Amino acid sequence: MSNILVTGGSGFIGSHIIDALKEENHNVYNMDVVKPNDATNYVNINLNDTGSIINFLKENSIEYVYHIAAIANARRSIEDVVETMDVNVKGTASLLLACSEANIKKVILASTVWVYNAVDKDYNKTGEKIYLDESANIKPECGGHFYTTSKLVSEFLCQDFRSLKKLNFTILRYGIPYGPRMWKGLVLRSFTENALTQKPLNIVGDGSAKRRFVHIKDLARAHVMSLSEKADNQIFNLEGSSDTTIKELADLVSKYIPGTEINYITDETRKGELSVDNSEITNSKAKKILGWEPTISIEEGVEGYVNYFKKLSS
Ligand SMILES: NC(=O)c1ccc[n+]([C@@H]2O[C@H](COP(=O)([O-])OP(=O)(O)OC[C@H]3O[C@@H](n4cnc5c(N)ncnc54)[C@H](O)[C@@H]3O)[C@@H](O)[C@H]2O)c1
């Protein structure tokens, strides 16, 4: 049993990580600026308050830190780039500094497969399918999004704190997480909410964009596994198991909520979002080193989510 701090534990992903860690009998604290419904072991400290974080880590003999707090909504990062960098970049620097001062054994960072947008797009000119793994070369000029940049810099900071201050890290690059407690704006949540209120499901573009949705329970399990020393100073992709197009996702929701209408729309605020046509972001490293692979199929996960949401709104 370890003493663990999760930043952003009041949010969608952080709250599931806390649940998974508690199931393994760890003593878990949540540091967030928003008070959660269950405020057990909750502390209200802003990421940028380095001094208070150091005191908290020392006073509670924290051994591991999951750094999950961030501005996670990519569209918000376009509306407010300065605030995004303040939280995602400066906040990460502040947290990592506090962790190195408090001799934390390891920081586990929430990152995203969006960083693969920053791989040179010439890679798939041949038309052959390319497998993108954690060693893919990142080119700053290809990233094309403030959110992607903020996550890349968070990753670079972990690497720098490792080489300059000997602070261990594990970086987890998530696919598209989904499941209970998702925030408004995540695609499955908005499809389900619209379908249940007899509004059309709005698909941006022609619906052919593919994603690998990863169920939040699978994702949370990978976080627990990442405590292992085998994961020290490593990066892992945590993608869902199969490609699902946005149209297929809408059809799945319609299967569980019949009578749903589908609309195709354009949305200029979606520029620069993940696009990895002709390629697959592979989980093979997570499988080989951590023994992790997703177990919940998209069909099972969507059905479970629709049932959860129906119950919540009844
Ligand atoms: N949701 C996704 O689709 C997705 C995909 C890939 C990666 N991620 C990453 O996963 C992490 C969690 O995402 P989420 O979807 O759970 O987001 P979320 O918005 O539900 O949770 C983020 C939490 O961070 C807290 N927070 C924000 N600023 C803070 C600050 N200055 N100090 C302390 N706490 C602060 C918020 O109050 C919130 O509770 C983020 O790092 C995000 O970039 C999310």
Side-chain angles (χ1 to χ4, degrees):
M1 191 202 86
S2 301
N3 292 325
I4 297 178
L5 176 70
V6 176
T7 73
S10 305
F12 165 40
I13 297 169
S15 65
H16 285 275
I17 295 170
I18 290 178
D19 290 348
L21 289 167
K22 280 184 176 169
E23 272 171 32
E24 297 296 315
N25 296 317
H26 293 295
N27 182 30
V28 193
Y29 296 87
N30 168 19
M31 187 190 107
D32 201 301
V33 287
V34 170
K35 192 175 175 184
N37 291 337
D38 175 4
T40 326
N41 279 2
Y42 165 71
V43 57
N44 184 339
I45 304 177
N46 192 301
L47 281 175
N48 284 322
D49 186 352
T50 321
S52 297
I53 303 174
I54 295 173
N55 290 340
F56 182 84
L57 295 174
K58 288 184 174 168
E59 277 162 18
N60 294 285
S61 308
I62 301 293
E63 299 160 81
Y64 297 94
V65 173
Y66 286 82
H67 179 32
I68 311 300
I71 289 184
N73 186 334
R75 268 152 277 152
R76 191 167 151 207
S77 78
I78 294 183
E79 281 160 22
D80 200 338
V81 58
V82 176
E83 193 200 357
T84 300
M85 297 305 157
D86 190 56
V87 176
N88 295 10
V89 175
K90 187 175 165 198
T92 299
S94 164
L95 193 262
L96 293 174
L97 178 60
C99 289
S100 69
E101 295 287 315
N103 293 319
I104 293 303
K105 286 185 186 160
K106 176 157 74 174
V107 175
I108 294 132
L109 175 79
S111 189
T112 167
V113 295
W114 278 40
V115 300
Y116 291 104
N117 251 1
V119 171
D120 190 344
K121 296 296 180 294
D122 280 349
Y123 68 85
N124 66 7
K125 263 189 180 157
T126 58
E128 279 171 35
K129 191 168 182 176
I130 303 282
Y131 291 89
L132 292 170
D133 67 16
E134 294 80 352
S135 64
N137 284 329
I138 300 295
K139 284 191 153 191
E141 67 271 30
C142 299
H145 205 291
F146 301 137
Y147 175 70
T148 309
T149 295
S150 76
K151 289 313 225 178
L152 276 171
V153 176
S154 304
E155 290 197 6
F156 297 160
L157 283 167
C158 285
Q159 304 274 7
D160 292 344
F161 270 90
R162 164 71 190 146
S163 43
L164 298 173
K165 304 261 188 184
K166 297 199 168 22
L167 177 64
N168 288 327
F169 68 82
T170 299
I171 293 169
L172 301 177
R173 292 177 175 166
Y174 312 158
I176 311 297
Y178 74 101
R181 303 177 214 147
M182 264 189 289
W183 37 271
K184 265 180 189 284
L186 290 174
V187 60
L188 178 59
R189 158 115 185 226
S190 73
F191 281 0
T192 307
E193 213 165 359
N194 281 15
L196 287 173
T197 49
Q198 286 81 48
K199 291 188 192 128
L201 311 194
N202 292 323
I203 291 183
V204 180
D206 65 2
S208 65
K210 56 181 188 183
R211 294 282 184 265
R212 289 204 158 202
F213 295 94
V214 57
H215 194 275
I216 191 67
K217 293 272 178 217
D218 279 331
L219 196 70
R221 192 167 43 84
H223 285 74
V224 178
M225 291 168 132
S226 297
L227 282 176
S228 158
E229 278 181 17
K230 286 188 279 187
D232 285 2
N233 308 313
Q234 301 286 332
I235 304 177
F236 295 100
N237 296 333
L238 302 174
E239 275 275 41
S241 53
S242 61
D243 284 336
T244 306
T245 66
I246 301 300
K247 170 72 168 64
E248 285 164 347
L249 187 74
D251 287 342
L252 264 178
V253 172
S254 313
K255 182 173 153 193
Y256 302 117
I257 310 171
T260 305
E261 194 192 321
I262 295 175
N263 257 354
Y264 294 89
I265 60 164
T266 50
D267 181 352
E268 281 306 305
T269 66
R270 302 293 185 123
K271 259 193 215 153
E273 299 204 351
L274 178 67
S275 164
V276 281
D277 295 341
N278 285 342
S279 59
E280 180 177 322
I281 297 165
T282 154
N283 281 335
S284 52
K285 183 174 172 188
K287 186 175 178 188
K288 191 169 159 208
I289 297 181
L290 299 178
W292 177 86
E293 54 187 333
T295 57
I296 301 172
S297 70
I298 188 75
E299 291 79 11
E300 189 188 346
V302 169
E303 185 178 11
Y305 183 74
V306 169
N307 289 336
Y308 153 86
F309 205 86
K310 276 182 184 165
K311 224 184 258 173
L312 207 66
S313 19
S314 64

